[in-house]
Amino acid sequence: AIGSNGEAVVSIDHGLTWTNVTQNLEVANGNKIAFESSKVAISADGGAVMISSNSGTSWKLGDLPGNVDYKAVDVKSGDIVVTGEGHDVLTTKSVTSSFISKTPPTITSGDGYNSITYDGLEMVVVGDEAEISDFNGSSWTNNATSVTDNLYGSDMHINYNLAVGANGKIIRNDGTGWKCVTVTEPLVIYDTEMFGDMGYAVGKNGTVAKTEDNGLHWNKLNAAITNNLNAVHFTSINKGVAVGSNGRIITVSYTHL
């Protein structure tokens, strides 16, 4: 988990205990964290992306162009991909190699992309004013949607993709275009993650919604908190963790939160 003032914590027991790995982490404000095995990447303000190849024991500053705020990062198949307010999507394989542009399409949102999800070949990036761009491994498509809300989170599944955002919007693409499948309530949703046919979406004021049918229908849950929940991640079908404001960390299981 990553927070303001460059603070990062790591858990290796499904979120039960956490270790602070902030040492040598030279970022003023971290925005997103992603990992695969022992490789960890943090996107941050001021053009910074910190990369660790040993589960956060030590960090290196990625070689990126510009001084933009990088809002989102993902790690898959050894690749690190980042995006942010500069409207670009950049990728690298090594902590010592330069990032290169994946040349995404021009978007109208002045703030760039808010989230990126990558499966090792394809990727989805989403942003303000319902901006969604898909990369199929060789080319990009800038997608139209039935909503106009800002989008803050995304996830990819073998048969469909999801995006979530303002006003409780959850939209889904099963290959026939992006369509709104639900409006949970008029609150902001910041992140979503699927595992099998089950998944969660989390957001403002402790908002939590759950699906058990591949994102087609969602039910609001009572998380018994009012803190904003900014991200959710699963390590198995019944083990997950959600993190939020004021250092809030909650564990998630298949049957309850």
Side-chain angles (χ1 to χ4, degrees):
I2 181 70
S4 60
N5 302 317
E7 204 165 36
V9 292
V10 170
S11 173
I12 59 173
D13 55 8
H14 306 288
L16 295 178
T17 61
W18 295 82
T19 301
N20 193 309
V21 293
T22 307
Q23 66 275 11
N24 302 319
L25 187 57
E26 301 172 4
V27 296
N29 188 58
N31 293 315
K32 290 290 178 69
I33 187 169
F35 60 91
E36 181 184 52
S37 186
S38 60
K39 182 176 283 189
V40 187
I42 294 172
S43 59
D45 291 349
V49 173
M50 299 299 298
I51 303 168
S52 173
S53 57
N54 51 21
S55 301
T57 300
S58 61
W59 299 86
K60 291 184 180 294
L61 183 64
D63 183 9
L64 288 100
N67 192 37
V68 303
D69 293 342
Y70 290 106
K71 300 179 183 178
V73 63
D74 205 1
V75 181
K76 197 72 67 180
S77 300
D79 295 331
I80 301 168
V81 293
V82 297
T83 190
E85 66 177 7
H87 306 98
D88 206 350
V89 174
L90 302 155
T91 182
T92 188
K93 274 191 173 293
S94 168
V95 296
T96 59
S97 299
S98 298
F99 279 76
I100 59 173
S101 175
K102 300 296 287 187
T103 58
T106 300
I107 60 175
T108 58
S109 169
D111 291 328
Y113 294 114
N114 297 321
S115 175
I116 185 167
T117 307
Y118 179 57
D119 68 1
L121 176 66
E122 300 179 351
M123 68 180 81
V124 174
V125 287
V126 304
D128 291 352
E129 301 169 17
E131 294 278 7
I132 303 179
S133 298
D134 297 327
F135 182 69
N136 64 10
S138 59
S139 62
W140 289 89
T141 301
N142 203 354
N143 295 277
T145 73
S146 59
V147 302
T148 58
D149 306 85
N150 293 348
L151 298 173
Y152 299 116
S154 56
D155 195 26
M156 300 178 69
H157 193 276
I158 189 171
N159 295 318
Y160 59 88
N161 299 326
L162 293 173
V164 298
N167 298 311
K169 290 299 191 303
I170 300 176
I171 58 176
R172 185 178 186 272
N173 184 4
D174 60 3
T176 61
W178 289 91
K179 301 169 186 176
C180 187
V181 295
T182 188
V183 178
T184 59
E185 62 177 61
L187 288 174
V188 177
I189 302 176
Y190 293 124
D191 195 26
T192 185
E193 182 160 294
M194 299 295 301
F195 205 107
D197 59 2
M198 180 274 297
Y200 287 92
V202 299
K204 189 174 182 179
N205 296 341
T207 295
V208 178
K210 178 182 177 182
T211 180
E212 296 183 89
D213 61 0
N214 295 294
L216 290 171
H217 302 90
W218 296 77
N219 295 312
K220 186 172 181 280
L221 302 180
N222 180 14
I225 63 171
T226 57
N227 303 80
N228 292 348
L229 294 173
N230 301 321
V232 61
H233 176 70
F234 283 85
T235 56
S236 69
I237 188 65
N238 60 358
K239 295 287 186 180
V241 63
V243 298
S245 59
N246 299 319
R248 176 69 71 175
I249 300 175
I250 59 176
T251 56
V252 183
S253 74
Y254 184 81
T255 56
H256 68 279
L257 182 146

